[in-house]
Amino acid sequence: MKGVATGDMGVARDGTHKSDYAPGLELHAKYTLFGEGVRGHLSKQLQRQFDLCRDAQPQVYGIGIKELWDIDPANHVPGKVIHTQGWPLKDGESNGGGFLYHQADGQVALGFVVWLNYKNPYLSPFHEMQRWKTHPAIAAILKGGKRVSYGARAISDGGWQSVPKLVMPGAALIGDTAGFLNVPRIKGTHTAMKSGMMAAEAAFAAVQAGRAGDELTAYPEAYKTSWVEKELRGVRNVVPLVKKFGDIWGTILSGAAMWMELLGLRWPFTMKHHPDHESLWHASAASPIEYPKPDGVLTFDRLSSVFISNTNHEEDQPVHLTLKDPDIPIGYNLPVYAEPAQRYCPAGVYEVVGEGDDLRFQINAQNCVHCKTCDIKDPTQNINWVVPEGGGGPNYPNM
């Protein structure tokens, strides 16, 4: 790995160059650290090319959908935190939970996470989040308030057993690109920062020694003896236990597992993960889910939500959501899975339009909030998410 290249600017949707066309620049480096967050479009290529996941479990994910609200001062309790699990998801078919944080200036941040191993192709994470807000404990806090921002993002849930090989010749993976999130604590910033520090220290020592382009082996060695590795190892069975045994028994067992680890009684086994895109039932074996219509006060539709995410893309540019086989959505995913992209996308990017024999799969790329759920959950792995032209995407104030 010799560096990275920035994207070309000023390319029209048909591939021709506009009047303001500017080619990308090659940025060469002795070592390149990849911190792209979840499912990075470059790092996923590196993982394939260098076989970095050979000795790791598959990475698994959740989709987190978040809103900011200005609420009635009478309902605001600065510093109060609410975490929920399960409802309104159907145990045995899906897992996830919500959060609500009372922030400064009379504002709350709230959201709902659906793990992307859910089985029913008719499930919509966006609509589950809207239903979650109707719970009396949440609705009472939001009563009289106003929603001011919206966003969505995939979350790495694989933990300790899904961390890939961290280094390759000339490069390393850091932060959520490597999957350092502590799921039961819903925290990953601290581990991401520490991984960057360990990689930077290894790169600095290598450059000081006159090296370049080799593997920064000091970085994974530091990780193996760090508090990051210990913290992730202690909670490694939480996600698979809840997935296997459900919200009640899975939570009891995972709690016991964490206490044992804290007491130094390490579980003698590590549970495995299964790729999220393999979990969907066929539509014929699933029950459609009827979601209530939004009321525009507490619950909302996807397009009005995308509007307040401040998402913007230059429309005359190459579509950054591409299909490996354009025939799969209508020819296979629709009859087999009722084309779940219509529902797992929290921004209304994907639609099946037309009637009868004149159906087509429409991609509204300008709506994309860059959550990358489509790249993860598509059952045939047919959708490839890449970075759009520079500056495009959501603009999240205070999110």
mmCIF file of all heavy atoms in Angstrom, residues 58-62 85 90-96 114-119 155-159 162 183 237-251 253-254 271-277 279 377:
data_model
loop_
_atom_site.group_PDB
_atom_site.id
_atom_site.type_symbol
_atom_site.label_atom_id
_atom_site.label_comp_id
_atom_site.label_asym_id
_atom_site.label_seq_id
_atom_site.Cartn_x
_atom_site.Cartn_y
_atom_site.Cartn_z
ATOM 1 N N PRO A 58 -16.899 -13.322 10.941
ATOM 2 C CA PRO A 58 -17.480 -12.262 10.101
ATOM 3 C C PRO A 58 -17.890 -11.063 10.957
ATOM 4 O O PRO A 58 -18.370 -11.225 12.081
ATOM 5 C CB PRO A 58 -18.718 -12.937 9.484
ATOM 6 C CG PRO A 58 -18.482 -14.397 9.622
ATOM 7 C CD PRO A 58 -17.653 -14.586 10.851
ATOM 8 N N GLN A 59 -17.671 -9.871 10.418
ATOM 9 C CA GLN A 59 -18.170 -8.683 11.112
ATOM 10 C C GLN A 59 -19.686 -8.658 11.010
ATOM 11 O O GLN A 59 -20.262 -9.025 9.984
ATOM 12 C CB GLN A 59 -17.590 -7.413 10.502
ATOM 13 C CG GLN A 59 -17.950 -6.134 11.228
ATOM 14 C CD GLN A 59 -17.513 -6.122 12.684
ATOM 15 O OE1 GLN A 59 -18.318 -6.423 13.578
ATOM 16 N NE2 GLN A 59 -16.255 -5.792 12.927
ATOM 17 N N VAL A 60 -20.354 -8.268 12.088
ATOM 18 C CA VAL A 60 -21.810 -8.116 12.089
ATOM 19 C C VAL A 60 -22.134 -6.686 12.509
ATOM 20 O O VAL A 60 -21.322 -5.998 13.129
ATOM 21 C CB VAL A 60 -22.496 -9.144 13.014
ATOM 22 C CG1 VAL A 60 -22.330 -10.550 12.462
ATOM 23 C CG2 VAL A 60 -21.950 -9.060 14.439
ATOM 24 N N TYR A 61 -23.363 -6.250 12.189
ATOM 25 C CA TYR A 61 -23.661 -4.827 12.281
ATOM 26 C C TYR A 61 -25.051 -4.566 12.857
ATOM 27 O O TYR A 61 -25.900 -5.452 12.914
ATOM 28 C CB TYR A 61 -23.604 -4.182 10.891
ATOM 29 C CG TYR A 61 -22.292 -4.346 10.177
ATOM 30 C CD1 TYR A 61 -22.042 -5.468 9.378
ATOM 31 C CD2 TYR A 61 -21.295 -3.381 10.288
ATOM 32 C CE1 TYR A 61 -20.834 -5.614 8.715
ATOM 33 C CE2 TYR A 61 -20.082 -3.521 9.617
ATOM 34 C CZ TYR A 61 -19.857 -4.639 8.836
ATOM 35 O OH TYR A 61 -18.663 -4.793 8.183
ATOM 36 N N GLY A 62 -25.264 -3.318 13.243
ATOM 37 C CA GLY A 62 -26.583 -2.796 13.547
ATOM 38 C C GLY A 62 -26.797 -1.541 12.728
ATOM 39 O O GLY A 62 -25.847 -0.961 12.198
ATOM 40 N N GLN A 85 -34.324 -2.080 25.644
ATOM 41 C CA GLN A 85 -33.979 -3.263 24.862
ATOM 42 C C GLN A 85 -35.246 -3.970 24.406
ATOM 43 O O GLN A 85 -36.206 -4.093 25.163
ATOM 44 C CB GLN A 85 -33.122 -4.228 25.685
ATOM 45 C CG GLN A 85 -32.638 -5.447 24.901
ATOM 46 C CD GLN A 85 -31.722 -6.316 25.735
ATOM 47 O OE1 GLN A 85 -31.151 -5.879 26.719
ATOM 48 N NE2 GLN A 85 -31.580 -7.576 25.349
ATOM 49 N N LYS A 90 -39.823 -7.853 17.518
ATOM 50 C CA LYS A 90 -40.402 -9.140 17.862
ATOM 51 C C LYS A 90 -39.289 -10.110 18.218
ATOM 52 O O LYS A 90 -38.480 -10.475 17.367
ATOM 53 C CB LYS A 90 -41.236 -9.681 16.691
ATOM 54 C CG LYS A 90 -42.025 -10.941 17.023
ATOM 55 C CD LYS A 90 -42.925 -11.335 15.865
ATOM 56 C CE LYS A 90 -43.744 -12.580 16.196
ATOM 57 N NZ LYS A 90 -44.635 -12.969 15.062
ATOM 58 N N ASP A 91 -39.235 -10.512 19.487
ATOM 59 C CA ASP A 91 -38.180 -11.404 19.955
ATOM 60 C C ASP A 91 -38.218 -12.707 19.159
ATOM 61 O O ASP A 91 -39.274 -13.264 18.877
ATOM 62 C CB ASP A 91 -38.366 -11.697 21.445
ATOM 63 C CG ASP A 91 -37.092 -12.195 22.101
ATOM 64 O OD1 ASP A 91 -36.027 -12.100 21.479
ATOM 65 O OD2 ASP A 91 -37.166 -12.685 23.251
ATOM 66 N N GLY A 92 -37.064 -13.191 18.803
ATOM 67 C CA GLY A 92 -36.956 -14.391 17.978
ATOM 68 C C GLY A 92 -36.793 -14.079 16.507
ATOM 69 O O GLY A 92 -36.354 -14.926 15.732
ATOM 70 N N GLU A 93 -37.152 -12.861 16.112
ATOM 71 C CA GLU A 93 -36.986 -12.436 14.727
ATOM 72 C C GLU A 93 -35.973 -11.311 14.582
ATOM 73 O O GLU A 93 -35.358 -11.151 13.530
ATOM 74 C CB GLU A 93 -38.325 -11.983 14.137
ATOM 75 C CG GLU A 93 -39.351 -13.081 13.986
ATOM 76 C CD GLU A 93 -40.612 -12.596 13.284
ATOM 77 O OE1 GLU A 93 -40.615 -11.442 12.784
ATOM 78 O OE2 GLU A 93 -41.593 -13.358 13.240
ATOM 79 N N SER A 94 -35.812 -10.511 15.662
ATOM 80 C CA SER A 94 -34.927 -9.349 15.573
ATOM 81 C C SER A 94 -34.493 -8.939 16.969
ATOM 82 O O SER A 94 -35.146 -9.262 17.963
ATOM 83 C CB SER A 94 -35.639 -8.187 14.866
ATOM 84 O OG SER A 94 -36.894 -7.932 15.466
ATOM 85 N N ASN A 95 -33.378 -8.226 17.040
ATOM 86 C CA ASN A 95 -32.847 -7.731 18.308
ATOM 87 C C ASN A 95 -32.451 -6.266 18.145
ATOM 88 O O ASN A 95 -32.134 -5.815 17.055
ATOM 89 C CB ASN A 95 -31.604 -8.523 18.742
ATOM 90 C CG ASN A 95 -31.854 -10.010 18.876
ATOM 91 O OD1 ASN A 95 -31.463 -10.782 18.011
ATOM 92 N ND2 ASN A 95 -32.505 -10.418 19.947
ATOM 93 N N GLY A 96 -32.451 -5.569 19.270
ATOM 94 C CA GLY A 96 -32.029 -4.179 19.240
ATOM 95 C C GLY A 96 -32.521 -3.448 20.471
ATOM 96 O O GLY A 96 -33.033 -4.055 21.419
ATOM 97 N N VAL A 114 -31.291 -1.390 15.404
ATOM 98 C CA VAL A 114 -31.762 -2.724 15.013
ATOM 99 C C VAL A 114 -30.556 -3.507 14.522
ATOM 100 O O VAL A 114 -29.862 -3.078 13.594
ATOM 101 C CB VAL A 114 -32.824 -2.646 13.897
ATOM 102 C CG1 VAL A 114 -33.247 -4.059 13.470
ATOM 103 C CG2 VAL A 114 -34.038 -1.861 14.361
ATOM 104 N N TRP A 115 -30.286 -4.645 15.146
ATOM 105 C CA TRP A 115 -29.188 -5.480 14.664
ATOM 106 C C TRP A 115 -29.558 -6.036 13.295
ATOM 107 O O TRP A 115 -30.692 -6.493 13.068
ATOM 108 C CB TRP A 115 -28.910 -6.609 15.638
ATOM 109 C CG TRP A 115 -28.307 -6.132 16.936
ATOM 110 C CD1 TRP A 115 -27.882 -4.861 17.231
ATOM 111 C CD2 TRP A 115 -28.067 -6.918 18.107
ATOM 112 N NE1 TRP A 115 -27.401 -4.803 18.503
ATOM 113 C CE2 TRP A 115 -27.486 -6.049 19.072
ATOM 114 C CE3 TRP A 115 -28.268 -8.250 18.436
ATOM 115 C CZ2 TRP A 115 -27.117 -6.494 20.344
ATOM 116 C CZ3 TRP A 115 -27.899 -8.686 19.699
ATOM 117 C CH2 TRP A 115 -27.326 -7.813 20.631
ATOM 118 N N LEU A 116 -28.601 -6.023 12.392
ATOM 119 C CA LEU A 116 -28.900 -6.356 11.002
ATOM 120 C C LEU A 116 -28.933 -7.851 10.707
ATOM 121 O O LEU A 116 -28.946 -8.256 9.546
ATOM 122 C CB LEU A 116 -27.911 -5.645 10.074
ATOM 123 C CG LEU A 116 -28.128 -4.128 9.983
ATOM 124 C CD1 LEU A 116 -27.074 -3.477 9.105
ATOM 125 C CD2 LEU A 116 -29.533 -3.818 9.471
ATOM 126 N N ASN A 117 -29.017 -8.655 11.753
ATOM 127 C CA ASN A 117 -29.267 -10.090 11.541
ATOM 128 C C ASN A 117 -30.759 -10.394 11.546
ATOM 129 O O ASN A 117 -31.158 -11.562 11.592
ATOM 130 C CB ASN A 117 -28.584 -10.912 12.627
ATOM 131 C CG ASN A 117 -29.274 -10.747 13.984
ATOM 132 O OD1 ASN A 117 -29.636 -9.645 14.374
ATOM 133 N ND2 ASN A 117 -29.459 -11.846 14.708
ATOM 134 N N TYR A 118 -31.608 -9.369 11.509
ATOM 135 C CA TYR A 118 -33.056 -9.618 11.589
ATOM 136 C C TYR A 118 -33.500 -10.512 10.435
ATOM 137 O O TYR A 118 -32.915 -10.532 9.364
ATOM 138 C CB TYR A 118 -33.833 -8.308 11.640
ATOM 139 C CG TYR A 118 -33.812 -7.462 10.382
ATOM 140 C CD1 TYR A 118 -34.643 -7.744 9.308
ATOM 141 C CD2 TYR A 118 -32.977 -6.346 10.280
ATOM 142 C CE1 TYR A 118 -34.639 -6.965 8.164
ATOM 143 C CE2 TYR A 118 -32.968 -5.558 9.140
ATOM 144 C CZ TYR A 118 -33.798 -5.873 8.089
ATOM 145 O OH TYR A 118 -33.787 -5.100 6.954
ATOM 146 N N LYS A 119 -34.579 -11.249 10.688
ATOM 147 C CA LYS A 119 -34.988 -12.322 9.781
ATOM 148 C C LYS A 119 -36.118 -11.939 8.828
ATOM 149 O O LYS A 119 -36.165 -12.406 7.691
ATOM 150 C CB LYS A 119 -35.417 -13.551 10.595
ATOM 151 C CG LYS A 119 -34.312 -14.147 11.470
ATOM 152 C CD LYS A 119 -34.838 -15.321 12.275
ATOM 153 C CE LYS A 119 -33.745 -16.006 13.089
ATOM 154 N NZ LYS A 119 -33.203 -15.103 14.136
ATOM 155 N N ILE A 155 -23.421 0.330 12.586
ATOM 156 C CA ILE A 155 -22.602 0.146 13.787
ATOM 157 C C ILE A 155 -21.959 -1.225 13.716
ATOM 158 O O ILE A 155 -22.629 -2.220 13.411
ATOM 159 C CB ILE A 155 -23.470 0.244 15.055
ATOM 160 C CG1 ILE A 155 -24.170 1.605 15.131
ATOM 161 C CG2 ILE A 155 -22.646 -0.007 16.308
ATOM 162 C CD1 ILE A 155 -25.277 1.649 16.163
ATOM 163 N N SER A 156 -20.662 -1.307 14.004
ATOM 164 C CA SER A 156 -19.971 -2.605 14.042
ATOM 165 C C SER A 156 -20.250 -3.293 15.368
ATOM 166 O O SER A 156 -19.921 -2.758 16.430
ATOM 167 C CB SER A 156 -18.457 -2.409 13.871
ATOM 168 O OG SER A 156 -18.155 -1.877 12.611
ATOM 169 N N ASP A 157 -20.842 -4.484 15.311
ATOM 170 C CA ASP A 157 -21.233 -5.201 16.526
ATOM 171 C C ASP A 157 -20.427 -6.476 16.773
ATOM 172 O O ASP A 157 -20.679 -7.176 17.749
ATOM 173 C CB ASP A 157 -22.720 -5.592 16.444
ATOM 174 C CG ASP A 157 -23.651 -4.413 16.658
ATOM 175 O OD1 ASP A 157 -23.200 -3.394 17.211
ATOM 176 O OD2 ASP A 157 -24.827 -4.503 16.268
ATOM 177 N N GLY A 158 -19.488 -6.796 15.901
ATOM 178 C CA GLY A 158 -18.813 -8.090 15.991
ATOM 179 C C GLY A 158 -17.903 -8.236 17.183
ATOM 180 O O GLY A 158 -17.740 -9.326 17.736
ATOM 181 N N GLY A 159 -17.248 -7.144 17.589
ATOM 182 C CA GLY A 159 -16.404 -7.178 18.764
ATOM 183 C C GLY A 159 -15.113 -7.967 18.587
ATOM 184 O O GLY A 159 -14.572 -8.094 17.489
ATOM 185 N N SER A 162 -14.283 -10.527 15.848
ATOM 186 C CA SER A 162 -14.394 -10.068 14.466
ATOM 187 C C SER A 162 -13.308 -9.064 14.083
ATOM 188 O O SER A 162 -13.300 -8.575 12.948
ATOM 189 C CB SER A 162 -15.767 -9.424 14.229
ATOM 190 O OG SER A 162 -16.800 -10.373 14.371
ATOM 191 N N VAL A 183 -20.057 -3.213 22.449
ATOM 192 C CA VAL A 183 -21.501 -3.168 22.206
ATOM 193 C C VAL A 183 -22.328 -2.960 23.473
ATOM 194 O O VAL A 183 -23.191 -2.077 23.506
ATOM 195 C CB VAL A 183 -21.970 -4.429 21.449
ATOM 196 C CG1 VAL A 183 -23.489 -4.419 21.290
ATOM 197 C CG2 VAL A 183 -21.302 -4.489 20.090
ATOM 198 N N ASN A 237 -19.008 -12.432 24.112
ATOM 199 C CA ASN A 237 -20.146 -13.346 23.924
ATOM 200 C C ASN A 237 -21.504 -12.680 24.107
ATOM 201 O O ASN A 237 -22.538 -13.340 23.978
ATOM 202 C CB ASN A 237 -20.029 -14.536 24.883
ATOM 203 C CG ASN A 237 -18.919 -15.501 24.472
ATOM 204 O OD1 ASN A 237 -18.691 -15.722 23.282
ATOM 205 N ND2 ASN A 237 -18.210 -16.054 25.450
ATOM 206 N N VAL A 238 -21.523 -11.376 24.391
ATOM 207 C CA VAL A 238 -22.786 -10.702 24.673
ATOM 208 C C VAL A 238 -23.711 -10.720 23.458
ATOM 209 O O VAL A 238 -24.872 -11.147 23.539
ATOM 210 C CB VAL A 238 -22.530 -9.253 25.140
ATOM 211 C CG1 VAL A 238 -23.846 -8.468 25.188
ATOM 212 C CG2 VAL A 238 -21.866 -9.249 26.510
ATOM 213 N N VAL A 239 -23.233 -10.257 22.327
ATOM 214 C CA VAL A 239 -24.072 -10.195 21.126
ATOM 215 C C VAL A 239 -24.549 -11.578 20.696
ATOM 216 O O VAL A 239 -25.755 -11.792 20.483
ATOM 217 C CB VAL A 239 -23.333 -9.471 19.983
ATOM 218 C CG1 VAL A 239 -24.082 -9.641 18.658
ATOM 219 C CG2 VAL A 239 -23.195 -7.985 20.310
ATOM 220 N N PRO A 240 -23.661 -12.570 20.544
ATOM 221 C CA PRO A 240 -24.163 -13.881 20.109
ATOM 222 C C PRO A 240 -25.085 -14.560 21.121
ATOM 223 O O PRO A 240 -25.985 -15.306 20.726
ATOM 224 C CB PRO A 240 -22.885 -14.703 19.868
ATOM 225 C CG PRO A 240 -21.782 -13.964 20.523
ATOM 226 C CD PRO A 240 -22.172 -12.534 20.557
ATOM 227 N N LEU A 241 -24.923 -14.290 22.409
ATOM 228 C CA LEU A 241 -25.826 -14.877 23.399
ATOM 229 C C LEU A 241 -27.236 -14.317 23.254
ATOM 230 O O LEU A 241 -28.223 -15.059 23.303
ATOM 231 C CB LEU A 241 -25.297 -14.617 24.815
ATOM 232 C CG LEU A 241 -24.191 -15.543 25.316
ATOM 233 C CD1 LEU A 241 -23.607 -15.015 26.614
ATOM 234 C CD2 LEU A 241 -24.692 -16.973 25.497
ATOM 235 N N VAL A 242 -27.340 -13.001 23.080
ATOM 236 C CA VAL A 242 -28.665 -12.395 22.921
ATOM 237 C C VAL A 242 -29.302 -12.864 21.616
ATOM 238 O O VAL A 242 -30.510 -13.150 21.562
ATOM 239 C CB VAL A 242 -28.560 -10.861 22.968
ATOM 240 C CG1 VAL A 242 -29.913 -10.222 22.652
ATOM 241 C CG2 VAL A 242 -28.097 -10.407 24.353
ATOM 242 N N LYS A 243 -28.512 -12.957 20.557
ATOM 243 C CA LYS A 243 -29.060 -13.425 19.283
ATOM 244 C C LYS A 243 -29.552 -14.867 19.380
ATOM 245 O O LYS A 243 -30.585 -15.218 18.810
ATOM 246 C CB LYS A 243 -28.004 -13.304 18.189
ATOM 247 C CG LYS A 243 -27.717 -11.874 17.745
ATOM 248 C CD LYS A 243 -26.684 -11.833 16.642
ATOM 249 C CE LYS A 243 -26.452 -10.405 16.160
ATOM 250 N NZ LYS A 243 -25.427 -10.345 15.094
ATOM 251 N N LYS A 244 -28.832 -15.680 20.103
ATOM 252 C CA LYS A 244 -29.170 -17.106 20.167
ATOM 253 C C LYS A 244 -30.313 -17.394 21.127
ATOM 254 O O LYS A 244 -31.208 -18.198 20.828
ATOM 255 C CB LYS A 244 -27.933 -17.916 20.595
ATOM 256 C CG LYS A 244 -28.150 -19.430 20.596
ATOM 257 C CD LYS A 244 -26.871 -20.162 20.922
ATOM 258 C CE LYS A 244 -27.069 -21.675 20.946
ATOM 259 N NZ LYS A 244 -27.480 -22.212 19.630
ATOM 260 N N PHE A 245 -30.330 -16.717 22.287
ATOM 261 C CA PHE A 245 -31.295 -17.062 23.326
ATOM 262 C C PHE A 245 -32.383 -16.007 23.539
ATOM 263 O O PHE A 245 -33.261 -16.195 24.383
ATOM 264 C CB PHE A 245 -30.566 -17.323 24.652
ATOM 265 C CG PHE A 245 -29.655 -18.516 24.610
ATOM 266 C CD1 PHE A 245 -28.285 -18.362 24.521
ATOM 267 C CD2 PHE A 245 -30.180 -19.795 24.635
ATOM 268 C CE1 PHE A 245 -27.432 -19.461 24.475
ATOM 269 C CE2 PHE A 245 -29.348 -20.910 24.594
ATOM 270 C CZ PHE A 245 -27.970 -20.744 24.510
ATOM 271 N N GLY A 246 -32.343 -14.905 22.793
ATOM 272 C CA GLY A 246 -33.393 -13.901 22.892
ATOM 273 C C GLY A 246 -33.114 -12.846 23.951
ATOM 274 O O GLY A 246 -32.122 -12.910 24.691
ATOM 275 N N ASP A 247 -34.015 -11.877 24.046
ATOM 276 C CA ASP A 247 -33.784 -10.718 24.895
ATOM 277 C C ASP A 247 -33.705 -11.060 26.377
ATOM 278 O O ASP A 247 -32.861 -10.524 27.097
ATOM 279 C CB ASP A 247 -34.892 -9.681 24.673
ATOM 280 C CG ASP A 247 -34.768 -8.981 23.330
ATOM 281 O OD1 ASP A 247 -33.626 -8.786 22.874
ATOM 282 O OD2 ASP A 247 -35.802 -8.640 22.730
ATOM 283 N N ILE A 248 -34.569 -11.953 26.859
ATOM 284 C CA ILE A 248 -34.597 -12.224 28.297
ATOM 285 C C ILE A 248 -33.460 -13.146 28.708
ATOM 286 O O ILE A 248 -32.561 -12.757 29.474
ATOM 287 C CB ILE A 248 -35.966 -12.801 28.711
ATOM 288 C CG1 ILE A 248 -37.072 -11.771 28.442
ATOM 289 C CG2 ILE A 248 -35.945 -13.193 30.187
ATOM 290 C CD1 ILE A 248 -38.473 -12.278 28.731
ATOM 291 N N TRP A 249 -33.478 -14.371 28.193
ATOM 292 C CA TRP A 249 -32.448 -15.326 28.600
ATOM 293 C C TRP A 249 -31.070 -14.929 28.063
ATOM 294 O O TRP A 249 -30.059 -15.115 28.749
ATOM 295 C CB TRP A 249 -32.821 -16.738 28.148
ATOM 296 C CG TRP A 249 -33.887 -17.346 29.001
ATOM 297 C CD1 TRP A 249 -35.190 -17.576 28.670
ATOM 298 C CD2 TRP A 249 -33.734 -17.769 30.359
ATOM 299 N NE1 TRP A 249 -35.865 -18.117 29.730
ATOM 300 C CE2 TRP A 249 -35.006 -18.253 30.779
ATOM 301 C CE3 TRP A 249 -32.673 -17.791 31.262
ATOM 302 C CZ2 TRP A 249 -35.216 -18.743 32.063
ATOM 303 C CZ3 TRP A 249 -32.889 -18.283 32.534
ATOM 304 C CH2 TRP A 249 -34.151 -18.750 32.928
ATOM 305 N N GLY A 250 -31.037 -14.372 26.871
ATOM 306 C CA GLY A 250 -29.750 -13.942 26.323
ATOM 307 C C GLY A 250 -29.119 -12.839 27.154
ATOM 308 O O GLY A 250 -27.900 -12.817 27.364
ATOM 309 N N THR A 251 -29.944 -11.913 27.645
ATOM 310 C CA THR A 251 -29.432 -10.828 28.474
ATOM 311 C C THR A 251 -28.953 -11.344 29.820
ATOM 312 O O THR A 251 -27.905 -10.916 30.337
ATOM 313 C CB THR A 251 -30.518 -9.755 28.674
ATOM 314 O OG1 THR A 251 -30.903 -9.253 27.388
ATOM 315 C CG2 THR A 251 -30.011 -8.616 29.534
ATOM 316 N N LEU A 253 -27.833 -14.377 30.483
ATOM 317 C CA LEU A 253 -26.593 -15.119 30.260
ATOM 318 C C LEU A 253 -25.423 -14.199 29.942
ATOM 319 O O LEU A 253 -24.303 -14.409 30.421
ATOM 320 C CB LEU A 253 -26.793 -16.131 29.124
ATOM 321 C CG LEU A 253 -27.720 -17.306 29.440
ATOM 322 C CD1 LEU A 253 -28.029 -18.098 28.174
ATOM 323 C CD2 LEU A 253 -27.086 -18.217 30.494
ATOM 324 N N SER A 254 -25.686 -13.167 29.129
ATOM 325 C CA SER A 254 -24.585 -12.265 28.787
ATOM 326 C C SER A 254 -24.151 -11.448 29.997
ATOM 327 O O SER A 254 -22.958 -11.157 30.174
ATOM 328 C CB SER A 254 -24.997 -11.344 27.637
ATOM 329 O OG SER A 254 -26.096 -10.524 27.989
ATOM 330 N N MET A 271 -18.169 -17.544 21.205
ATOM 331 C CA MET A 271 -19.242 -17.857 20.275
ATOM 332 C C MET A 271 -18.993 -17.219 18.912
ATOM 333 O O MET A 271 -18.306 -16.196 18.794
ATOM 334 C CB MET A 271 -20.579 -17.397 20.848
ATOM 335 C CG MET A 271 -20.932 -18.107 22.144
ATOM 336 S SD MET A 271 -22.507 -17.555 22.849
ATOM 337 C CE MET A 271 -23.674 -18.252 21.665
ATOM 338 N N LYS A 272 -19.586 -17.812 17.892
ATOM 339 C CA LYS A 272 -19.346 -17.386 16.520
ATOM 340 C C LYS A 272 -20.421 -16.411 16.038
ATOM 341 O O LYS A 272 -21.496 -16.304 16.615
ATOM 342 C CB LYS A 272 -19.297 -18.605 15.594
ATOM 343 C CG LYS A 272 -18.142 -19.552 15.879
ATOM 344 C CD LYS A 272 -18.133 -20.714 14.906
ATOM 345 C CE LYS A 272 -16.954 -21.636 15.172
ATOM 346 N NZ LYS A 272 -16.922 -22.781 14.221
ATOM 347 N N HIS A 273 -20.093 -15.710 14.963
ATOM 348 C CA HIS A 273 -21.034 -14.832 14.286
ATOM 349 C C HIS A 273 -21.384 -15.407 12.915
ATOM 350 O O HIS A 273 -20.625 -16.207 12.353
ATOM 351 C CB HIS A 273 -20.432 -13.439 14.082
ATOM 352 C CG HIS A 273 -20.216 -12.667 15.335
ATOM 353 N ND1 HIS A 273 -21.203 -12.448 16.266
ATOM 354 C CD2 HIS A 273 -19.105 -12.040 15.818
ATOM 355 C CE1 HIS A 273 -20.713 -11.724 17.258
ATOM 356 N NE2 HIS A 273 -19.446 -11.467 17.014
ATOM 357 N N HIS A 274 -22.514 -14.958 12.391
ATOM 358 C CA HIS A 274 -22.936 -15.341 11.048
ATOM 359 C C HIS A 274 -23.235 -14.065 10.260
ATOM 360 O O HIS A 274 -23.807 -13.115 10.795
ATOM 361 C CB HIS A 274 -24.181 -16.240 11.105
ATOM 362 C CG HIS A 274 -23.982 -17.465 11.944
ATOM 363 N ND1 HIS A 274 -23.277 -18.569 11.510
ATOM 364 C CD2 HIS A 274 -24.383 -17.753 13.212
ATOM 365 C CE1 HIS A 274 -23.251 -19.485 12.464
ATOM 366 N NE2 HIS A 274 -23.915 -19.013 13.506
ATOM 367 N N PRO A 275 -22.853 -14.007 8.989
ATOM 368 C CA PRO A 275 -23.041 -12.776 8.211
ATOM 369 C C PRO A 275 -24.496 -12.316 8.197
ATOM 370 O O PRO A 275 -25.416 -13.118 8.040
ATOM 371 C CB PRO A 275 -22.563 -13.179 6.806
ATOM 372 C CG PRO A 275 -21.627 -14.321 7.033
ATOM 373 C CD PRO A 275 -22.185 -15.070 8.209
ATOM 374 N N ASP A 276 -24.695 -11.019 8.353
ATOM 375 C CA ASP A 276 -26.046 -10.464 8.433
ATOM 376 C C ASP A 276 -26.851 -10.696 7.162
ATOM 377 O O ASP A 276 -28.070 -10.886 7.219
ATOM 378 C CB ASP A 276 -25.973 -8.953 8.705
ATOM 379 C CG ASP A 276 -25.430 -8.641 10.087
ATOM 380 O OD1 ASP A 276 -25.827 -9.318 11.045
ATOM 381 O OD2 ASP A 276 -24.598 -7.725 10.195
ATOM 382 N N HIS A 277 -26.205 -10.685 6.008
ATOM 383 C CA HIS A 277 -26.958 -10.791 4.757
ATOM 384 C C HIS A 277 -27.505 -12.198 4.530
ATOM 385 O O HIS A 277 -28.323 -12.396 3.631
ATOM 386 C CB HIS A 277 -26.092 -10.372 3.564
ATOM 387 C CG HIS A 277 -24.967 -11.314 3.253
ATOM 388 N ND1 HIS A 277 -23.728 -11.230 3.863
ATOM 389 C CD2 HIS A 277 -24.891 -12.353 2.397
ATOM 390 C CE1 HIS A 277 -22.946 -12.172 3.392
ATOM 391 N NE2 HIS A 277 -23.621 -12.879 2.500
ATOM 392 N N SER A 279 -29.248 -13.898 6.839
ATOM 393 C CA SER A 279 -30.235 -14.206 7.883
ATOM 394 C C SER A 279 -31.688 -14.081 7.433
ATOM 395 O O SER A 279 -32.587 -14.566 8.125
ATOM 396 C CB SER A 279 -30.019 -13.274 9.082
ATOM 397 O OG SER A 279 -30.254 -11.924 8.722
ATOM 398 N N LYS A 377 -26.636 -5.392 4.208
ATOM 399 C CA LYS A 377 -27.801 -6.270 4.376
ATOM 400 C C LYS A 377 -28.304 -6.897 3.084
ATOM 401 O O LYS A 377 -29.024 -7.904 3.143
ATOM 402 C CB LYS A 377 -28.933 -5.474 5.047
ATOM 403 C CG LYS A 377 -30.156 -6.306 5.440
ATOM 404 C CD LYS A 377 -29.824 -7.399 6.447
ATOM 405 C CE LYS A 377 -31.075 -8.144 6.897
ATOM 406 N NZ LYS A 377 -30.787 -9.270 7.799
#
